[in-house]
Amino acid sequence: MILILRTDAGEEEIAEVVRRLEAEGLRAHVSRGVERTVVGVLGHDTERAYALAALPQVEQAVPVKHPYKLASREFHPDDTLVRVGEHVVFGGQQVVLMAGPCAVESEEQLMAAAESVARAGGTVLRGGAFKPRTSPYSFQGLGLKGLELLDQARRRYGLAIVTEAMDEEGLRAVAEVADMVQIGARNMQNFSLLRACGRIDKPILLKRGLSATIEEWLLAAEYIMAGGNHQVVLCERGIRTYETKTRNTLDLSAVPVIQHLSHLPIVVDPSHGTGSWQYVGPMARAGVAAGADGVIMEIHPNPSEALSDGPQSLNLPTFERLAAELKAVAQAIGRYI
Ligand code: PEP
Ligand code: MN
């Protein structure tokens, strides 16, 4: 349930609503929007808050029909801005260009990719140090050494870095170094890891699970937010369908659906979404056109020698040409990269 306050409600009147809710054993989440202030009610028995509709500063009590609350548009009518590093903001006019190798493999490989990201006008460097591989015999990532290399690349090229944490131990190490922590598709419903993300003060890039519905995905975001960390960016990376010509089916309709249901920024990953570098460009352009707040792509100085996800990685010149096209698409819809 949310309580919509009158536009002239002052700070003391807002505080009174919060006190009254807490006295009922409920939790309040106050969202001061441009238009109006909304108090979201959290707890087991939110029905108890209906009585507060009688207060003069409360205009209306409205039930929230979704099981997620903090992630819902009702609780927070304005778009949420998520800051990453010193210069990057998700959820505003900027479309954030994020790219890098699937896995950090070597200093040479990472620096070449980072240089290309910077040259293309990208602001976030991706790269896995801990890799969730389908087979236990595949390359598992460089671990801490990979984090060190990401840190060096950040300093050399002035980029923010995002990298995946696969478990709670890895989360501690990643959160110390990275500007943004990625939670991968396979871990989208790892609830203890999500709770741990809720306790840290770093933005989270929450990828959609391989077979997750949008509601399950938003509930995963809710786990993080319920722990106190509201800096969540959602990432559509394709879902598993009956189609086999692509690795996954990139659900671009998730972009407007998420923007309708939630205030959280959403980015698109056309690399995992298609699995083939030839399809990455068209789907990246489509993602920007659909209104995504960013695009994340895999690139490699020599894709044929990549230790993971080579077939879906763009080489550097192709990526840089695509970046120029994405800028034009962004501009066409009143945004910029
Ligand atoms: C990745 O970003 O390299 C990755 C493993 O992505 P996902 O979790 O979406 O499969
Ligand atoms: Mn990958």
Side-chain angles (χ1 to χ4, degrees):
M1 140 139 27
I2 56 167
L3 300 172
I4 300 172
L5 302 195
R6 291 195 187 284
T7 41
D8 58 359
E11 283 307 315
E12 181 41 44
E13 289 171 307
I14 297 172
E16 186 193 1
V17 172
V18 173
R19 271 197 306 277
R20 294 278 292 265
L21 287 171
E22 288 172 355
E24 292 287 342
L26 297 164
R27 278 207 296 143
H29 176 261
V30 181
S31 170
R32 292 173 175 78
V34 184
E35 302 267 308
R36 57 192 185 179
T37 297
V38 168
V39 180
V41 184
L42 294 162
H44 291 302
D45 185 12
T46 55
E47 299 282 299
R48 297 170 76 96
Y50 267 120
L52 271 69
L55 287 173
Q57 66 268 50
V58 177
E59 192 171 278
Q60 216 186 341
V62 183
V64 173
K65 49 188 181 300
H66 312 294
Y68 46 87
K69 311 287 177 198
L70 294 167
S72 73
R73 190 55 95 176
E74 285 97 331
F75 257 56
H76 192 290
D78 293 343
D79 291 342
T80 280
L81 300 180
V82 176
R83 284 171 203 288
V84 172
E86 285 172 24
H87 310 294
V88 184
V89 181
F90 289 85
Q93 288 297 100
Q94 184 178 14
V95 178
V96 181
L97 181 60
M98 317 159 82
C102 177
V104 179
E105 297 170 3
S106 68
E107 179 174 347
E108 207 188 356
Q109 172 242 22
L110 186 66
M111 297 305 156
E115 190 185 355
S116 175
V117 174
R119 202 165 41 226
T123 46
V124 180
L125 174 68
R126 62 148 290 147
F130 301 96
K131 292 305 302 175
R133 302 307 299 279
T134 301
S135 160
Y137 307 117
S138 300
F139 175 60
Q140 304 286 310
L142 295 183
L144 296 178
K145 173 74 189 156
L147 293 182
E148 251 171 60
L149 289 173
L150 284 165
D151 182 35
Q152 280 174 28
R154 163 174 52 196
R155 278 188 266 160
R156 201 176 296 176
Y157 296 104
L159 300 165
I161 54 176
V162 59
T163 191
E164 179 165 356
M166 290 207 305
D167 47 38
E168 286 180 62
E169 192 189 328
L171 179 63
R172 277 189 288 276
V174 165
E176 247 176 59
V177 178
D179 298 297
M180 182 178 219
V181 177
Q182 178 173 321
I183 296 301
R186 290 155 191 81
N187 266 322
M188 191 208 79
Q189 284 188 317
N190 180 338
F191 297 116
S192 58
L193 183 59
L194 296 176
R195 279 189 202 282
C197 287
R199 294 190 290 267
I200 65 171
D201 186 23
K202 276 285 162 82
I204 308 293
L205 182 66
L206 179 63
K207 295 193 110 183
R208 182 177 183 177
L210 277 74
S211 302
T213 64
I214 285 176
E215 184 161 299
E216 288 162 343
W217 188 16
L218 286 172
L219 280 166
E222 187 83 10
Y223 262 91
I224 300 169
M225 299 175 84
N229 186 356
H230 289 213
Q231 311 164 79
V232 180
V233 174
L234 301 164
C235 177
E236 164 59 44
R237 47 78 71 206
I239 48 176
R240 190 163 280 191
T241 67
Y242 53 80
E243 184 52 69
T244 55
K245 295 293 182 217
T246 45
R247 179 179 180 182
N248 292 292
T249 297
L250 187 65
D251 179 12
L252 278 184
S253 57
V255 174
V257 173
I258 287 288
Q259 286 170 344
H260 176 216
L261 298 174
S262 178
H263 52 89
L264 297 173
I266 175 166
V267 303
V268 162
D269 173 351
S271 306
H272 295 86
T274 62
S276 299
W277 70 267
Q278 295 97 317
Y279 308 146
V280 168
M283 297 316 282
R285 293 192 298 264
V288 175
D293 298 299
V295 181
I296 182 166
M297 291 180 290
E298 291 187 335
I299 62 174
H300 197 285
N302 190 353
S304 64
E305 282 175 16
L307 297 180
S308 70
D309 285 349
Q312 67 192 35
S313 299
L314 296 173
N315 63 35
L316 307 183
T318 307
F319 161 66
E320 289 171 37
R321 278 195 300 276
L322 174 59
E325 293 170 4
L326 298 181
K327 284 178 196 165
V329 177
Q331 209 175 13
I333 55 164
R335 298 183 80 173
Y336 69 95
I337 289 186

